[in-house]
Amino acid sequence: MPVPGHQSIPLPHIATYKHIEVRPAGLALGAHVSGVDLSEPKAPEVYSEIADALWRHHVLFFRDQALTPEAHMALAGHFGETEVHEILRPDPEHPEISILLNDETRPPEINVWHTDVTFREKPSLCSILYCEIAPEAGGDTMWLNQQLAYETLAEPIKEMLLGLQAEHDILHTYSGTHLLEEAGGQEKAVELSKTHPPVLHPVVIAHPMTGKPCLLVNETHTKRIVGMSRLESRHLMAMLIEHQRLHEFQLRFSWQPGSIAMWDNFATQHYALADYYPQMRRMRRITVAGRKPLPYRPEHLKQVA
């Protein structure tokens, strides 16, 4: 008999593809993809298989890829419109590409669990990160499964969360960081407070591609639970954040030059370990525009199915 409030982690479903090979990286999430060279733009059916694998496994890893900026943008373009980040440094020739460069003069600062840009009305659908220079040691990235985190909560808590909203704010974490200083400092902060006022998202969303329920609460951008006292909001958020960080929901990836990680932004959070400073790490990232998160209702899953 199962213990109340505890559920087993299901084995990942393995699909068969014609153009790629997929091997699960863990029970909670993630898969290694091989048998495909992404150095040049591919046929739509190849990208369609990659997309199917992404929505099944939430994070995909590719090794030994010589990904040109053009091929990088072609891969992202299959998923939707690419977007420009508000703060991260853009590539001079390709503004859709963000350059993540850390060295002895630019210490890593995004070493917190987060879902990308939940401070927007429409958070990113997915991100594609390519490693150009990896440190000799350290610099791994971890992901966690927000869908699995919700599914394993006790039923009374799951039901309570369905009617709640949370406030997300771009300056909740970026204030006072080197990233914001490089982007313009206090002047940029004032600009962002006007162009990006706080937004409200459901605490439990219906994943836009699968309809499945996912938590959308993260320490980086989520400021509070709406309709609760400060005490209630703080403790509920603390419980959800601690629950999501259970090791059973996580996966860790070690970078090498030529590695690619692609992740489903609505179903995951990620954490870039800052244990490589002052070594250099240079990454190239593209994100794909998402859509406004909708609250999860059981009928969403039926409609998608």
Side-chain angles (χ1 to χ4, degrees):
M1 179 178 295
V3 178
H6 292 74
Q7 297 185 28
S8 60
I9 297 178
L11 292 172
H13 174 70
I14 310 302
T16 302
Y17 300 103
K18 294 182 179 179
H19 304 285
I20 61 175
E21 298 176 7
V22 176
R23 176 173 54 86
L27 290 180
L29 75 168
H32 297 282
V33 180
S34 58
V36 61
D37 178 4
L38 295 174
S39 61
E40 297 180 354
K42 306 313 249 184
E45 52 266 28
V46 178
Y47 291 146
S48 294
E49 290 190 355
I50 292 173
D52 182 86
L54 179 63
W55 308 134
R56 291 178 187 273
H57 298 280
H58 307 306
V59 188
L60 301 181
F61 305 114
F62 304 77
R63 294 285 194 191
D64 302 320
Q65 299 287 332
L67 194 67
T68 65
E70 292 72 23
H72 199 166
M73 290 188 291
L75 175 59
H78 176 81
F79 289 86
E81 183 180 352
T82 56
E83 54 191 9
V84 177
H85 195 274
E86 290 82 352
I87 293 178
L88 298 180
R89 178 189 305 176
D91 183 294
E93 298 182 7
H94 307 281
E96 307 95 333
I97 297 176
S98 295
I99 303 300
L100 309 182
L101 174 62
N102 298 112
D103 55 25
E104 59 183 2
T105 64
R106 298 180 180 86
E109 292 186 291
I110 316 180
N111 53 323
V112 286
W113 282 108
H114 63 286
T115 301
D116 284 336
V117 298
T118 59
F119 52 76
R120 295 179 184 167
E121 285 283 348
K122 299 178 180 180
S124 302
L125 178 65
C126 62
S127 297
I128 305 171
L129 187 62
Y130 177 65
C131 179
E132 294 182 330
I133 301 174
E136 292 184 8
D140 293 356
T141 301
M142 299 189 297
W143 283 264
L144 62 79
N145 187 334
Q146 296 186 121
Q147 177 184 310
L148 186 58
Y150 175 77
E151 292 173 350
T152 51
L153 286 167
E155 288 299 327
I157 296 178
K158 290 163 69 173
E159 293 178 9
M160 175 190 68
L161 296 177
L162 290 180
L164 298 178
Q165 289 186 310
E167 181 181 291
H168 298 247
D169 187 348
I170 189 172
L171 295 177
H172 186 49
T173 289
Y174 283 124
S175 292
T177 64
H178 183 73
L179 287 169
L180 185 60
E181 287 301 314
E182 279 196 336
Q186 185 58 33
E187 183 177 341
K188 184 66 174 182
V190 172
E191 174 192 331
L192 290 173
S193 69
K194 297 177 180 178
T195 60
H196 290 69
V199 299
L200 301 183
H201 294 312
V203 170
V204 183
I205 66 166
H207 192 283
M209 305 304 296
T210 67
K212 294 183 179 180
C214 300
L215 290 171
L216 193 64
V217 173
N218 65 89
E219 185 178 19
T220 306
H221 303 311
T222 309
K223 196 169 184 178
R224 65 186 179 97
I225 305 294
V226 177
M228 291 188 169
S229 70
R230 184 176 299 179
L231 177 68
E232 292 167 338
S233 172
R234 184 171 70 246
H235 283 282
L236 180 55
M237 281 187 56
M239 185 276 289
L240 292 176
I241 289 169
E242 182 177 354
H243 174 71
Q244 289 179 111
R245 292 178 182 175
L246 290 175
H247 293 291
E248 289 83 353
F249 307 148
Q250 295 182 19
L251 181 72
R252 183 165 176 161
F253 181 68
S254 295
W255 292 97
Q256 301 169 358
S259 297
I260 300 172
M262 174 188 304
W263 63 91
D264 170 354
N265 194 53
F266 282 101
T268 66
Q269 290 185 35
H270 55 283
Y271 184 116
L273 276 73
D275 57 351
Y276 57 93
Y277 178 80
Q279 301 175 80
M280 177 183 287
R281 189 178 83 154
R282 180 183 169 95
M283 318 289 275
R284 190 200 313 144
R285 192 188 78 159
I286 294 182
T287 57
V288 176
R291 60 198 70 179
K292 185 174 177 60
L294 297 176
Y296 172 74
R297 296 291 181 268
E299 56 266 26
H300 284 150
L301 191 55
K302 295 178 182 178
Q303 291 172 0
V304 172

